[in-house]
Amino acid sequence: MKTAILGGGLTGLTLARFLAGKGEEIAVLEAESEIGGLCRSRSENGFCFDTGGSHIIFSRDEEVLRFMLAVLGENHAMRKRNTRIFYKDRFLKYPFENGLSGLPKEDLFFCLHEYIRMLIAAEKGEIPPVKNFRDWIYSTFGQGIAECYLIPYNRKIWNYPPEQMSAHWVEGRVPRPPVEDIIRSAIGIETEGYTHQAVFSYPRKGGIEALVRAIAAPVIDRVFCGFPVRRIRKSSTGWEISDGNRTIYAGKLISTIPLQNLIPALEEVPELVRQAVDSLRYNSVCSVFIGVKGRVPDISWLYVPSMEIGLLNRVSFPSNYSTEVAPEGHGSVLAEITYNEGDPLTLMSDGEIVRHVINSLETMGLIRKEDVTYTGTARHRFAYVVYDLEYLTNIGIVRKYCEEIGVDLVGRFAQFEYLNMDGCIRSVMEYTGKVQ
Ligand SMILES: Cc1cc2nc3c(=O)[nH]c(=O)nc-3n(C[C@H](O)[C@H](O)[C@H](O)COP(=O)(O)OP(=O)(O)OC[C@H]3O[C@@H](n4cnc5c(N)ncnc54)[C@H](O)[C@@H]3O)c2cc1C
């Protein structure tokens, strides 16, 4: 009997490809009129922008990276990362702890002194147990790096206070930077951080959507767009899945759609499970596209921790990833703003948001207003999973329920984990590896 895959984003399409390769009969049900989810790209006026924020291809997972590059074939280019942090009118090297020598002297002293104080405290066993993400930042990097960069930046991107976030997802995984590297970075000897990302790839043509399209190619006739799953009923033979008009029957159900869309579609869900899903936190992203005459700075992407500069948390320059995503003689800029329903951004018109972003970009000296030839915006409701302090309890309740009723969860908002594209593909590989 057929397997229904809910959601035609990267995860759903990769699942479809792998399961079809094993001879399974599959159907992918996608709510939107186009496939791709967060990995969609918009081509207009010679520009191509990723709608779910700027995406690059990188991974520590060599098998997954090989897979992504192999499906793209010739359609990808490699780039060396030149990433910066905008701090007090300077473009610091990224990660922050590798760019300390670029700081104003007083800030450099603050960061270095506090890092060493923290290290001594750690060696003496004087650091209290970490209770939240904020504690973890302070006890890993010291008060200086925390207060100059990590706290303001994390508050901005998660749109949530770090002291109300859990640390389970970084603890033990992100090590304290070695003291040698901190000293080298402080006195201006080059050091590199996050080296698995130092070189990255990007499709030459078609934006990041080219990747999902290439993955979907062998199974595209099994994808049904414009099918927003609204009702799911378990029958004696399997599942009845409906968009309110049409019903599809399947023996097996795999969900890659957000839990916030899956659970309300199911029948007789216990109140405890509904409440747990309602309590899971996430944020949304608004992508702002700017096309300019002439060149853009030679930066891959730029983090903007300060609220004074504006709402944007990150700015990327897609025309530096591929010359084919902007018309000849033009450059492109993509700004990302994370938000939640009810925030000031939700009261702004698209025109106001674009003007706000252009002002921020001008303030940082990245573009000139008079060079702007194209603007656009896109929003995705589900952008980042936010690990709040109740996350582990709530997700535990929801996962247990889905397992009991036999709905398999794969992907970023189905597993409700901070998974990048490589993490989603790894989840698919692990899942399909278990399928007989
Ligand atoms: C700002 C930003 C930048 C990122 N940058 C990178 C990067 O540089 N590199 C990287 O590797 N990863 C990056 N990611 C992560 C990457 O986008 C995700 O890991 C990946 O796209 C998740 O794919 P998915 O299929 O699990 O989820 P989604 O892309 O969310 O797909 C879910 C699909 O389900 C559909 N759907 C929802 N509800 C229903 C319903 N009721 N019925 C039917 N269909 C439904 C949606 O329309 C969507 O197509 C970034 C993410 C963000 C937000």
Side-chain angles (χ1 to χ4, degrees):
M1 255 187 120
K2 182 159 61 191
T3 298
I5 300 170
L6 313 188
L10 173 77
T11 306
L13 297 167
T14 311
L15 265 170
R17 179 181 173 120
F18 280 36
L19 291 176
K22 286 180 166 243
E24 277 201 35
E25 196 193 332
I26 45 116
V28 179
L29 307 176
E30 166 56 45
E32 302 289 332
S33 55
E34 297 288 338
I35 60 167
L38 275 170
C39 295
R40 288 204 299 269
S41 306
R42 183 186 299 168
S43 294
E44 217 168 48
N45 294 16
F47 291 100
C48 179
F49 288 99
D50 297 339
T51 66
S54 167
H55 279 64
I56 55 159
I57 299 168
F58 69 98
S59 186
R60 282 196 179 93
D61 186 329
E62 286 175 18
E63 189 188 7
V64 170
L65 188 58
R66 268 199 308 276
F67 167 75
M68 291 193 273
L69 298 180
V71 288
L72 279 169
E74 295 286 294
N75 186 23
H76 72 90
M78 300 262 260
R79 291 279 180 264
K80 214 168 151 257
R81 175 185 75 194
N82 178 17
T83 299
R84 303 276 150 174
I85 297 161
F86 191 77
Y87 181 81
K88 295 191 177 169
D89 289 335
R90 294 160 189 239
F91 293 92
L92 292 186
K93 182 178 164 162
Y94 166 88
F96 191 88
E97 60 274 20
N98 294 88
L100 296 177
S101 65
L103 286 170
K105 288 276 188 281
E106 274 304 315
D107 293 345
L108 171 56
F109 171 75
F110 181 41
C111 291
L112 198 54
H113 184 227
E114 291 303 326
Y115 178 86
I116 291 167
R117 261 166 44 98
M118 177 275 305
L119 207 58
I120 294 169
E123 301 226 320
K124 287 188 182 163
E126 286 173 2
I127 294 197
V130 164
K131 290 204 278 306
N132 55 49
F133 185 40
R134 179 187 179 280
D135 287 357
W136 177 83
I137 290 175
Y138 275 78
S139 64
T140 306
F141 295 91
Q143 188 186 350
I145 297 177
E147 290 178 6
C148 290
Y149 173 60
L150 285 172
I151 295 289
Y153 180 70
N154 279 289
R155 193 180 295 275
K156 204 175 191 188
I157 184 163
W158 303 112
N159 198 28
Y160 204 59
E163 57 274 25
Q164 289 178 40
M165 289 177 67
S166 155
H168 76 277
W169 55 290
V170 277
E171 249 183 320
R173 279 191 242 173
V174 181
R176 182 175 287 139
V179 65
E180 300 81 6
D181 281 6
I182 292 284
I183 296 171
R184 278 200 184 93
S185 150
I187 61 177
I189 299 174
E190 284 286 304
T191 56
E192 287 299 330
Y194 303 166
T195 45
H196 62 291
Q197 212 191 44
V199 173
F200 65 92
S201 298
Y202 191 72
R204 285 182 204 280
K205 286 185 185 188
I208 202 64
E209 190 175 312
L211 176 65
V212 281
R213 291 218 165 262
I215 291 172
V219 287
I220 200 69
D221 60 332
R222 305 307 307 145
V223 181
F224 301 93
C225 284
F227 196 109
V229 174
R230 295 214 169 92
R231 249 195 352 260
I232 304 169
R233 175 175 296 151
K234 199 166 185 179
S235 69
S236 54
T237 51
W239 299 92
E240 295 172 17
I241 306 150
S242 161
D243 67 350
N245 297 314
R246 296 160 291 177
T247 302
I248 292 226
Y249 301 90
K252 207 165 106 194
L253 183 64
I254 311 171
S255 175
T256 78
I257 68 177
L259 292 172
Q260 287 81 353
N261 293 354
L262 171 74
I263 297 295
L266 290 162
E267 289 186 321
E268 294 167 15
V269 176
E271 192 49 32
L272 180 73
V273 177
R274 285 191 193 281
Q275 278 174 10
V277 171
D278 289 346
S279 306
L280 288 172
R281 229 192 131 77
Y282 60 92
N283 67 27
S284 309
V285 70
C286 175
S287 301
V288 181
F289 314 137
I290 313 279
V292 293
K293 242 182 342 204
R295 294 173 68 88
V296 287
D298 177 27
I299 295 175
S300 311
W301 65 92
L302 173 75
Y303 295 97
V304 186
S306 163
M307 273 313 267
E308 281 166 28
I309 298 294
L311 295 170
L312 44 76
N313 60 66
R314 191 168 74 139
V315 181
S316 326
F317 299 91
S319 54
N320 290 339
Y321 303 173
S322 162
T323 50
E324 300 191 42
V325 296
E328 178 107 34
H330 290 71
S332 59
V333 189
L334 198 174
E336 290 155 32
I337 302 171
T338 46
Y339 67 97
N340 285 86
E341 213 37 63
D343 283 357
L345 181 112
T346 56
L347 304 174
M348 291 163 76
S349 68
D350 284 351
E352 284 169 329
I353 296 171
V354 166
R355 281 193 292 282
H356 172 87
V357 164
I358 291 176
N359 283 338
S360 301
L361 298 175
E362 268 211 323
T363 306
M364 291 186 282
L366 297 170
I367 62 163
R368 295 184 316 169
K369 229 178 244 146
E370 57 270 30
D371 293 334
V372 173
T373 60
Y374 172 85
T375 63
T377 58
R379 294 174 198 226
H380 286 262
R381 177 174 162 209
F382 294 97
Y384 291 99
V385 166
V386 177
Y387 292 116
D388 67 6
L389 293 171
E390 283 75 47
Y391 168 84
L392 287 172
T393 308
N394 289 322
I395 196 67
I397 293 170
V398 183
R399 284 189 189 148
K400 183 162 172 282
Y401 173 71
C402 290
E403 198 181 327
E404 278 164 10
I405 62 166
V407 178
D408 295 338
L409 306 174
V410 191
R412 183 163 167 118
F413 285 99
Q415 291 173 247
F416 219 77
E417 289 282 1
Y418 184 5
L419 298 178
N420 274 327
M421 297 188 296
D422 61 340
C424 293
I425 294 171
R426 175 49 59 195
S427 284
V428 171
M429 286 176 169
E430 278 170 10
Y431 179 83
T432 53
K434 284 189 222 137
V435 175
Q436 296 308 311

